[in-house]
């Protein structure tokens, strides 16, 4: 149950995408998301979507894992489709009582659902191919200039690293405590809302107690290793851009060009 | 009559994913009513997965688990009732305490069984006595107790359900030698007084040797041996191959055997080893 969460899960590997500079990966993911919303007709959206799909092929991550990254959100996607299908005006295909489905509605809902799917694929590809530690490191480096206006960039990144690091630990802990309470006959699957919330108490209290204890121990361990923050800290592995990052950005620029060309050639779908 | 019967039990974690892992592979075994069974195995050998099948916390990927002769996964069987029949104390159980008082925490299990207040009260007091918790501790907050007391309280919480089978996973982990012996002796006493079945999972060969009647050895998800203690230790060389540690005294006998002495390595208690060494002295005359 809890072990089925894939979003934000790192899948170790040695592909071209895995070895890219994490800073470049973050920038390209952001850029791609922007382009996805610049694209305003179906061919442009498909053109933009080619970028994460090609990257997914190069990452050697299995098709099933990619599909599972957006599967849990299918109801949400479906909801978007239905909403757009009925509320966008234009030339009707089917008209029945109060329901009116138009070509334009179909077009817009296709764009919307593809945007969500591509965005999820792009985002999960980033986390699939980049370890959380590298990811926060890269964020710290990218936000570096903000230090000039006294934003505590290092502290934020450290907090993110620690939080990410402890997600699996906390999940494991929750599972353990749940099992221990179930072994004493705790019933978590039945009853009304109040009973179910009450059933969480035997899980949450031990979880909080151990989380606080763990935080305390971690702080102590960091202090005894003379941690004082980011000031003057150096790195064993310094991030470096390489040729493959250049190629990746070139691919991205090609997809940007394609999207703009499609936008101009076919025109916007959002005129109604 | 067996308390728990397992047939062709296989368990696979995260099937159909890159993280797929076969934790148990076609395990079949019978646990006798009233026995004291030790379970040993290297880390990751499948011990914990196995015991979580005994009380229905894990569902077998294939195979059957019978408690009291009944298939616990058959349709219409109330899986919660198995939890009361087979009490499972996890590793480091002190982390499961949550109530305001020790008394209430021990009463959590019996309360889930839907027992009357008087019945719960007598069970809580009985369990506290078995685990050696002083009555005045019962009204304290579990978070004020010492580590050893917390563990006793957690064990009492499972004992209070009066399970037919009590499973203890690494009961003595992290306790000092004195606390270790004390708690194990109390479990032994619980076993002989109540006549219930006790399963003790442990890394320590000494503990297993001293307390159990039979031993179950797990290795890489399979059942390697299930036999009386002396017979298992007689196959000492096989145990060593699987990465298991032997009791110190058995090791001495094993080294003697390797040096060519005609020694019987199945002895494991202080007295037996002494007798064996004296016998050897007589035979070899040295």
């Amino acid at each position: 149950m809890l072990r089925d969460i894939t979003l934000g899960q790192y899948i170790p590997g040695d592909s071209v995408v895995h070895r890219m500079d994490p800073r470049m990966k973050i920038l390209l993911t952001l850029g791609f998301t922007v382009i996805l919303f610049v694209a305003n007709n179906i061919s442009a959206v498909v053109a933009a979507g080619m970028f994460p799909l090609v990257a997914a092929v190069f990452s050697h991550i299995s098709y099933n894992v990619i599909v599972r990254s957006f599967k849990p959100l299918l109801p949400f996607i479906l909801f978007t489709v239905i909403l757009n299908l009925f509320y966008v005006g234009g030339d009707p295909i089917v008209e029945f009582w109060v329901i009116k489905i138009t070509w334009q509605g179909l077009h817009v809902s296709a764009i919307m659902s593809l945007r969500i799917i591509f965005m999820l694929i792009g985002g999960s590809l980033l986390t699939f191919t980049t370890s959380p530690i590298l990811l926060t490191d890269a964020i710290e480096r990218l936000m570096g200039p903000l230090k000039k206006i006294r934003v505590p960039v290092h502290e934020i990144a450290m907090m993110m690293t620690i939080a990410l690091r402890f997600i699996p630990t906390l999940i494991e802990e929750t599972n353990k405590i749940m099992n221990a309470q179930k072994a004493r006959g705790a019933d978590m699957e039945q009853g009304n809302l109040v009973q179910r919330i009450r059933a969480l108490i035997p899980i949450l209290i031990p979880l909080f107690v151990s989380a606080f204890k763990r935080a305390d121990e971690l702080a102590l361990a960091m202090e005894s290793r003379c941690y004082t923050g980011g000031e003057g800290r150096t790195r064993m592995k310094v991030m470096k851009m390489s040729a493959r990052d250049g190629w990746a950005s070139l691919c991205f620029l090609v997809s940007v060009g394609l999207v703009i060309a499609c936008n101009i050639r076919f025109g916007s779908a959002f005129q109604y | 009559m067996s308390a728990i019967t397992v047939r062709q039990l296989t368990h696979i974690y995260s099937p159909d994913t890159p993280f797929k892992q076969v934790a148990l592979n076609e395990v079949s075994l019978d646990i006798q009513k009233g026995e004291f069974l030790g379970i040993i195995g290297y880390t990751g050998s499948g011990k914990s997965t196995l015991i979580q099948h005994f009380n229905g916390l894990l569902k077998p990927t294939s195979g059957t688990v019978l408690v009291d002769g009944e298939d616990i996964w058959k349709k219409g069987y109330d899986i919660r009732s198995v939890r009361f029949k087979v009490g499972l104390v996890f590793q480091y159980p002190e982390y499961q305490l949550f109530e305001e008082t020790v008394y209430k925490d021990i009463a959590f299990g019996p309360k889930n069984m839907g027992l009357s207040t008087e019945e719960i009260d007598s069970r809580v007091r009985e369990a506290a006595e078995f685990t050696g918790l002083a009555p005045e501790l019962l009204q304290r907050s579990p978070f004020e107790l010492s580590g050893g007391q917390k563990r006793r309280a957690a064990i009492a919480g499972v004992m209070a359900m009066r399970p037919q089978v009590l499973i203890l996973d690494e009961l003595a982990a992290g306790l000092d030698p004195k606390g270790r012996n004390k708690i194990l002796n109390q479990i032994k006493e619980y076993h002989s007084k109540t006549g219930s079945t006790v399963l003790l999972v442990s890394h320590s060969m000494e503990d297993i040797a001293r307390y159990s009647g039979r031993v179950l050895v797990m290795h890489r998800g399979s059942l390697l041996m299930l036999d009386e203690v002396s017979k298992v230790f007689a196959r000492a060389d096989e145990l060593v191959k699987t990465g298991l540690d032997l009791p110190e005294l058995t090791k001495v006998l094993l080294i003697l055997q390797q040096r060519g002495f005609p020694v019987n390595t199945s002895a494991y208690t202080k007295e037996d080893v002494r007798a064996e060494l004296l016998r050897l002295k007589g035979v070899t005359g040295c």
Side-chain angles (χ1 to χ4, degrees), chain B residues 247-263:
Chain B
E248 295 298 330
L249 291 173
T250 310
K251 268 192 226 166
V252 172
L253 296 181
L254 204 64
I255 291 168
L256 284 174
Q257 192 189 40
Q258 279 163 2
R259 298 251 170 107
F261 290 99
V263 61

Side-chain angles (χ1 to χ4, degrees), chain B residues 32-48:
Chain B
Q32 304 303 328
K33 265 203 176 132
E35 78 172 317
F36 198 121
L37 180 74
I39 301 178
I40 46 176
Y42 202 61
T43 311
S45 61
K47 297 175 305 225
S48 293

Side-chain angles (χ1 to χ4, degrees), chain B residues 219-230:
Chain B
H219 182 56
R220 290 191 186 157
S222 299
L223 180 114
L224 191 70
M225 303 174 204
L226 174 54
D227 216 333
E228 276 153 36
V229 176
S230 58

Side-chain angles (χ1 to χ4, degrees), chain A residues 34-233:
Chain A
V34 171
I35 281 302
L36 207 51
F37 283 88
V38 168
N40 57 17
N41 63 57
I42 188 84
S43 19
V45 170
V46 171
M50 291 312 285
F51 180 64
L53 291 183
V54 169
V57 171
F58 277 108
S59 71
H60 296 301
I61 285 169
S62 84
Y63 169 79
N64 283 327
V65 176
I66 304 265
V67 170
R68 259 194 298 147
S69 67
F70 63 80
K71 224 176 177 176
L73 281 165
L74 275 182
F76 173 71
I77 295 169
L78 207 69
F79 177 73
T80 320
V81 167
I82 291 169
L83 212 66
N84 281 299
L85 209 53
F86 294 140
Y87 286 96
V88 177
D91 316 320
I93 324 167
V94 187
E95 238 183 312
F96 172 72
W97 189 38
V98 289
I99 298 166
K100 195 169 96 179
I101 295 174
T102 64
W103 283 115
Q104 284 79 1
L106 213 58
H107 193 173
V108 170
S109 36
I111 291 174
M112 284 307 193
S113 50
L114 280 181
R115 270 183 186 166
I116 299 171
I117 291 174
F118 285 143
M119 217 160 73
L120 287 170
I121 293 179
S124 3
L125 203 60
L126 175 68
T127 54
F128 283 156
T129 60
T130 320
S131 76
I133 303 293
L134 271 179
L135 209 57
T136 42
D137 239 16
I139 292 171
E140 183 181 347
R141 297 286 300 275
L142 284 172
M143 297 203 310
L146 292 178
K147 277 182 194 155
K148 296 231 162 63
I149 53 165
R150 300 198 169 205
V151 177
V153 173
H154 172 79
E155 282 69 20
I156 293 172
M158 182 55 89
M159 271 154 60
M160 277 169 63
T161 312
I162 292 172
L164 282 170
R165 158 64 185 79
F166 280 100
I167 288 174
T169 315
L170 283 177
I171 289 179
E172 199 182 313
E173 188 104 2
T174 314
N175 266 333
K176 260 191 204 156
I177 296 169
M178 268 169 89
N179 277 338
Q181 306 300 21
K182 271 195 203 163
R184 292 205 279 167
D187 192 358
M188 274 161 276
E189 277 105 32
Q190 281 164 34
N192 58 34
L193 194 66
V194 179
Q195 282 168 327
R196 281 190 192 210
I197 291 172
R198 196 166 287 163
L200 287 178
I201 294 174
I203 294 160
L204 290 181
I205 291 180
L207 193 63
F208 272 101
V209 169
S210 77
F212 282 125
K213 206 175 137 202
R214 187 160 290 152
D216 213 32
E217 281 167 3
L218 181 67
L220 201 65
M222 284 168 84
E223 266 175 23
S224 54
R225 290 207 263 166
C226 303
Y227 176 78
T228 51
E231 208 70 38
R233 201 170 173 212

